[in-house]
Amino acid sequence: MTPEDRFPGPELPDSGPHHPQDLDVLPYGSYYEPPEPPPGYGYDTTYSGYGGARFLEQHWPTHSHPDDVTVQMVHREPLPAPVHHEDRPTIELGPPLAPPPPEEVHFPYPQPTPGEAPGPLYVVGDVHGYLDELRAALHQQGLIDAEGHWSAGRARLWFLGDFTDRGPDGIGVIDLVMQLAAEAAAAGGYCRALMGNHELLFLGAAKYGDEPVQSTAGTASFLAAWRLNGGQQQDLDRLEPHHISWLSRLPAMALEDNHLLLHSDTTAYLEYGESIAEVNDAVHHLLADEGADEWWDCFRRFTKRFAFRGQAGPMAAHELLAAYGGQRVVHGHSPIPYLTGSTHAEEGVPPHIPGPYIYADELAIAMDGGVTMEGRLLVARLPLN
Ligand SMILES: [Mn+2]
């Protein structure tokens, strides 16, 4: 039995009260295929082999001295202890921003001077319309001020995609990210974003609506699939042409400081190109020139997940790193409680998300803290040790 077997099946939007759907579903159950193992590697059917997987625990102290802020590696039961745990390295987080008044918040990044080295690198997991949580998490890391403006100078910030759906204010999230992109660029840093499968789904719902698309498992439509996966009508109502053109041009992947940034934990990227530029060009071309069936196929591929989990996981991560470069894959898309199999620990108890989850023989970092399932919206500074 795999964790997939425990997922609830697809539900119709009007099927009455039900638990929030946290994992994407494709109509007709076509999502529920087990992930394909890389050629030549046995498929791990039990998912019991979480060798070396670990969390990085993020502490948010209530006092405000930056030197006291550390991140400690912790090992959650029942995860096996990693081989090298004698040293408990600590890494510096950004400044603690617990609730001091705005004028007392001090930001570590001076305004740019010419020739200065690049600023620190941050990544943000799936936001899914949770604008308040996003503001809080960015403020906590010193990336925005109390008014929601970029305050991190030359810092580099990457969003890993999935801005809308399930949460209350997806358009507000997109507006904030677009605003920060402009402000960060003016300050000498940058704020950039990857395209997630929910961007494809949202754009598809806006462009193709109820138009039937050819799914491998039958007929579907973007609008129905979007609604099935948490699409919020108020987001669609507020979607404007400048949002669409911004979303349509997001890259699918990027390489920063030896981290391969992806939205989805899948090797399906390899089906779109042999280099990062090829993959991004292919997706842009597809969105600009292709029809609903090709969009759907792309959405379906980038909705796959769990490629880096289990015994074949490290090989899948290595395959992507060998093709595109980098030493670690950093992804969103699959909420950490699903990766660790801890979603059903106790009914009614929010999942415990201490921080980013490092797994697949340390080749992968999961950043989706499951904000849609009362987890946490994670913002982390890279590298994680
Ligand atoms: Mn996703």
Side-chain angles (χ1 to χ4, degrees):
M1 170 160 168
T2 75
E4 285 90 324
D5 295 319
R6 300 187 308 210
F7 295 161
E11 295 176 85
L12 294 175
D14 57 354
S15 62
H18 56 272
H19 292 293
Q21 181 72 51
D22 301 307
L23 283 187
D24 307 315
V25 293
L26 296 177
Y28 309 105
S30 53
Y31 163 68
Y32 294 97
E33 305 156 15
E36 294 166 19
Y41 287 84
Y43 175 54
D44 172 21
T45 53
T46 64
Y47 289 108
S48 58
Y50 296 116
R54 60 196 173 91
F55 282 99
L56 277 186
E57 184 141 14
Q58 295 186 332
H59 298 284
W60 309 118
T62 49
H63 49 84
S64 61
H65 196 279
D67 293 343
D68 294 336
V69 183
T70 60
V71 171
Q72 295 190 327
M73 296 195 314
V74 295
H75 310 290
R76 270 162 56 92
E77 294 297 334
L79 302 177
V83 242
H84 40 270
H85 63 289
E86 292 85 2
D87 298 328
R88 288 167 58 90
T90 58
I91 63 171
E92 292 246 342
L93 274 185
L97 299 153
E103 59 273 14
E104 288 181 25
V105 176
H106 53 104
F107 301 104
Y109 314 117
Q111 286 303 298
T113 53
E116 207 175 301
L121 176 64
Y122 291 83
V123 286
V124 187
D126 302 37
V127 185
H128 282 303
Y130 286 82
L131 179 61
D132 292 343
E133 287 79 357
L134 174 62
R135 285 182 191 277
L138 292 175
H139 185 54
Q140 210 161 25
Q141 292 277 15
L143 293 163
I144 65 172
D145 63 22
E147 281 73 47
H149 294 289
W150 182 258
S151 58
R154 292 174 75 89
R156 298 167 292 158
L157 177 61
W158 272 98
F159 284 81
L160 298 179
D162 278 9
F163 300 108
T164 63
D165 308 337
R166 300 196 175 105
D169 195 357
I171 294 295
V173 170
I174 294 172
D175 284 337
L176 176 61
V177 177
M178 292 179 69
Q179 169 213 314
L180 293 178
E183 293 175 351
Y190 63 68
C191 167
R192 295 175 185 166
L194 294 181
M195 180 177 296
N197 61 319
H198 278 258
E199 278 64 65
L200 291 165
L201 187 58
F202 189 36
L203 289 169
K207 179 163 183 175
Y208 296 110
D210 273 326
E211 185 177 318
V213 291
Q214 278 310 306
S215 132
T216 48
T219 309
S221 85
F222 270 106
L223 192 63
W226 175 69
R227 291 199 169 123
L228 189 65
N229 287 291
Q232 304 292 307
Q233 187 62 41
Q234 68 269 20
D235 283 342
L236 195 53
D237 293 342
R238 292 186 296 157
L239 182 67
E240 295 179 25
H242 72 277
H243 297 130
I244 293 175
S245 60
W246 185 80
L247 291 168
S248 304
R249 291 176 188 142
L250 296 178
M253 57 199 313
L255 185 64
E256 290 287 355
D257 295 357
N258 267 325
H259 294 87
L260 183 61
L261 310 182
L262 310 168
H263 173 70
S264 304
D265 43 335
T266 175
T267 55
Y269 294 91
L270 293 163
E271 297 167 48
Y272 286 94
E274 294 178 355
S275 70
I276 291 174
E278 272 184 34
V279 172
N280 291 337
D281 287 350
V283 173
H284 292 166
H285 165 74
L286 185 148
L287 285 171
D289 304 320
E290 302 283 350
D293 290 350
E294 288 77 17
W295 282 41
W296 181 265
D297 193 50
C298 186
F299 163 66
R300 186 182 59 79
R301 291 181 190 182
F302 289 151
T303 297
K304 293 179 178 178
R305 65 176 80 246
F306 298 148
F308 311 135
R309 200 172 65 172
Q311 286 178 359
M315 196 58 214
H318 180 76
E319 192 181 2
L320 282 172
L321 294 167
Y324 302 119
Q327 295 183 336
R328 255 182 185 169
V329 171
V330 181
H331 69 85
H333 188 51
S334 290
I336 290 170
Y338 283 95
L339 285 167
T340 59
S342 60
T343 46
H344 300 268
E346 253 183 281
E347 197 67 36
V349 177
H352 176 60
I353 309 292
Y357 179 60
I358 305 178
Y359 68 114
D361 288 351
E362 310 246 324
L363 291 176
I365 299 173
M367 281 298 299
D368 183 353
V371 68
T372 65
M373 50 195 294
E374 299 178 77
R376 280 172 66 185
L377 201 164
L378 294 177
V379 179
R381 181 171 169 178
L382 299 180
L384 299 173
N385 292 316

